[in-house]
Amino acid sequence: MANETAAGWSRPQRVLHWTMAALVLLAVPVGLIMTALPFRELLLKFVLYQLHKTLGLTVFVLVLAQLALHWRRGRPAWDAGLPAWQRRAAVAVHAALFSLLLLTPLAGYLTAATAPAKIPTLFLGVIPVPHLVGTNPVWFGVLREVHVALATLLVLLACGHALIAVQHHLKGRNTLIRMLRACE
Amino acid sequence: MRTRQRREWLRPAFGIGVVVWLMTALPAVAASLYRIDQRYGVISFSVGSLGLFTTEGLFPRFEGELLLDTEAPERTHIDVTIDAGAVAMPLQDQADLLRSDAYFDTAHFPAEHFVSTSIQVLSPTHFVIHGLLRIRGVAMPQDLDAVVKDRHFDQERQLEVADFVVTGDIKRSAFGMVADQIMVSDTVRLAIRIRLTVGVQPHGE
């Protein structure tokens, strides 16, 4: 997928990266609040669920776009002096992050689709997204747990990813710089 | 048409119904008394949300009587008590919300009750049931549309069987259920599908 011919991350790649990060950062607390909210807060609960679904669907699409960009343009060359094991670890973490960024929204969508309550999925609160699978209480229970587990893993991995990027930055590498602006 | 006259002690909830039944049934020669409960039918309801989707629920426990007079349908009488606390929804949280004081307030009003006051005959198999519906202690006039889908004698079980579909629109705000007016429509669609039998004692009595 990724070759190492590009000088730095392109602007679309950087925009997609930070947009996805922001959406995930927003989706997690929204998800926690919407599930914790008492059912008596019916309207707010519904709005938050639709917001969470919208964020998830958007992330799913943006990840596909990011993967396409990576495939077309490749990634910047690795920092000289970066140990081989760290490169391998970085590749593995990126692969896991992309997988989780795809699988978590997918599990969320399937959770919504199989939910016994038959609540529709409305992108941006207005555009109906068809549920391609039917209601299934058993699968709903399983998928809900899977969605939460994947989301937890995604958050943990993303935090690790961010901490390591900061650590590299503090060590004088331009890891963060080239994610924020174009590099020569 | 088989004539049935029964004398039996009925539950207190049907006291009013019994009085009316005795007043109306005794002179009738073509009246059949049907026992109604959840073994023979389903009381379901649906409510719209934001005009985008519909949520459905059930009342899985109810009991009552129907005195059906085919020769004088206007003499027909219905009395049904529904266990509001048994309301069932796709999600437990939804059912709990309906039991709360914002809706059925089942802690104070565990049952809903419908008793007919008159029957309007539109055709031999289509009626409008005028009656009083009591929810949360509030009794309001309520019309229900009843259609006899099938009525026959089951030779195997030696029972008379009648399949009814009864529908009606209830304004929940009229009964003091005014919560979530943006999210939940005021109109609640009631749909009752019931198979009535003669000669079967409920609960193994």
Side-chain angles (χ1 to χ4, degrees), chain B residues 34-149:
Chain B
Y34 292 83
R35 303 299 298 267
I36 302 170
D37 69 41
Q38 61 275 2
R39 292 178 301 173
Y40 309 110
V42 175
I43 298 181
S44 63
F45 61 91
S46 59
V47 61
S49 292
L50 297 170
L52 295 170
F53 63 99
T54 301
T55 303
E56 296 174 350
L58 292 174
F59 290 108
R61 284 211 297 267
F62 59 93
E63 56 187 358
E65 294 180 345
L66 165 65
L67 186 74
L68 186 64
D69 190 330
T70 51
E71 291 187 2
E74 67 280 359
R75 300 180 65 88
T76 293
H77 183 259
I78 301 163
D79 190 307
V80 180
T81 300
I82 297 170
D83 183 350
V87 63
M89 298 285 287
L91 295 178
Q92 185 60 41
D93 285 340
Q94 293 172 315
D96 291 341
L97 180 65
L98 285 188
R99 291 188 195 98
S100 73
D101 56 359
Y103 286 87
F104 292 129
D105 193 8
T106 56
H108 297 100
F109 306 102
E112 299 161 10
H113 182 242
F114 178 80
V115 59
S116 65
T117 52
S118 65
I119 305 290
Q120 182 182 350
V121 181
L122 301 180
S123 80
T125 58
H126 190 187
F127 313 93
V128 176
I129 306 167
H130 303 287
L132 276 178
L133 177 63
R134 192 177 69 238
I135 300 175
R136 290 165 56 102
V138 179
M140 297 291 292
Q142 179 67 49
D143 290 347
L144 299 173
D145 188 78
V147 175
V148 182
K149 290 293 185 183

Side-chain angles (χ1 to χ4, degrees), chain A residues 39-43 45-46 116-120 122 125 140, chain B residues 50 52-53 90-91 93-94 97 100-102 180 182-184:
Chain A
F39 219 78
R40 191 175 283 265
E41 302 289 340
L42 211 51
L43 181 60
K45 202 172 177 73
F46 176 80
K118 297 180 182 173
I119 308 291
L122 303 170
F140 167 70
Chain B
L50 297 170
L52 295 170
F53 63 99
L91 295 178
D93 285 340
Q94 293 172 315
L97 180 65
S100 73
D101 56 359
D180 307 310
I182 297 174
M183 187 71 195
V184 181

